[in-house]
Each structure stands twice: as structure tokens, then as C-alpha cells.
Amino acid sequence: MKIRMDSKNFKKSESEPDIFGKTPDIEHFRVKYEEKFRSLSKREIQVLGLIAHDMKPVVISEILELTPRYVQRVEKAIRHKLSVENQMDYIKYALAFGLMKF
């Protein structure tokens, strides 16, 4: 049995993300947390984007030519400023503020 998934036969519910554009949830997230995001320095924004792409501090330090310890301090500052708790939180910020594409 084949299931045909094209735009004519596929109906998405309102709660499902729109894979062809920005989701309303991401737009809402951006508006809600814009002030927190603006509190980050340029370096913190760079590190946030790389963490969201699942890069470890050692790799980030090589890319940005920093010490791994400095990257860890920046990551700690990001966690404090944005109240992130896990990888998904980093990804939400990165998607909402254009540091990664969906």
C-alpha cells in the first residue's frame, strides 16, 4: 500500500509546524524572548549558534580561535542570560533568531 503525500492530498492541522516557512510558534518565541536575546554579546551569539549545531566547546574553540575554557565561560553566561536548560533550548533560540535554518 502506498500513501501519496503531495500538496493536494496532505492536510495539516493548525498545531503542526509549516515545513515550508516559519512556524507561528517560532514567531511567538522570537517576540517573547527578543529582549533576552538582545542582551547577548556578539561573541555569545556566535557561540550560541555553534552550540545549537551540536558542536562541543573544544570544536567551537578551534573554529573561533579561543581557548576551550573561555568557550565554557561564554556558554555558562548564555545559559544564565537566556535560562537555557538543554540542547533544544539552544536550538529554539537559534531558529527564532536566524542562527540556523529549519
Side-chain angles (χ1 to χ4, degrees):
M1 178 170 101
K2 274 190 174 180
I3 299 175
R4 190 168 171 210
M5 299 296 285
D6 61 21
S7 60
K8 292 177 186 174
N9 297 333
F10 183 72
K11 181 175 178 10
K12 82 178 182 64
S13 72
E14 291 299 316
S15 63
E16 290 181 41
D18 178 4
I19 61 172
F20 301 107
K22 296 195 184 278
T23 65
D25 292 337
I26 291 175
E27 296 294 328
H28 176 72
F29 183 90
R30 180 178 31 241
V31 170
K32 185 174 180 180
Y33 294 104
E34 186 168 9
E35 189 173 327
K36 281 186 173 187
F37 182 79
R38 288 184 183 270
S39 73
L40 298 178
S41 69
K42 288 181 182 180
R43 180 66 78 192
E44 289 168 338
I45 291 170
Q46 286 178 320
V47 171
L48 169 64
L50 295 172
I51 292 171
H53 283 88
D54 204 27
M55 292 186 186
K56 303 300 176 210
V58 173
V59 176
I60 295 170
S61 68
E62 291 172 3
I63 292 170
L64 300 179
E65 299 178 353
L66 304 167
T67 66
R69 180 75 183 126
Y70 179 77
V71 172
Q72 289 172 339
R73 285 196 310 265
V74 171
E75 182 180 3
K76 184 177 179 180
I78 294 167
R79 282 195 316 264
H80 175 73
K81 288 180 179 181
L82 302 181
S83 303
V84 296
E85 297 178 2
N86 54 45
Q87 183 67 20
M88 186 52 85
D89 291 340
Y90 285 108
I91 292 170
K92 286 179 192 175
Y93 274 98
L95 286 171
F97 294 97
L99 304 176
M100 76 185 328
K101 302 243 184 209
F102 181 64

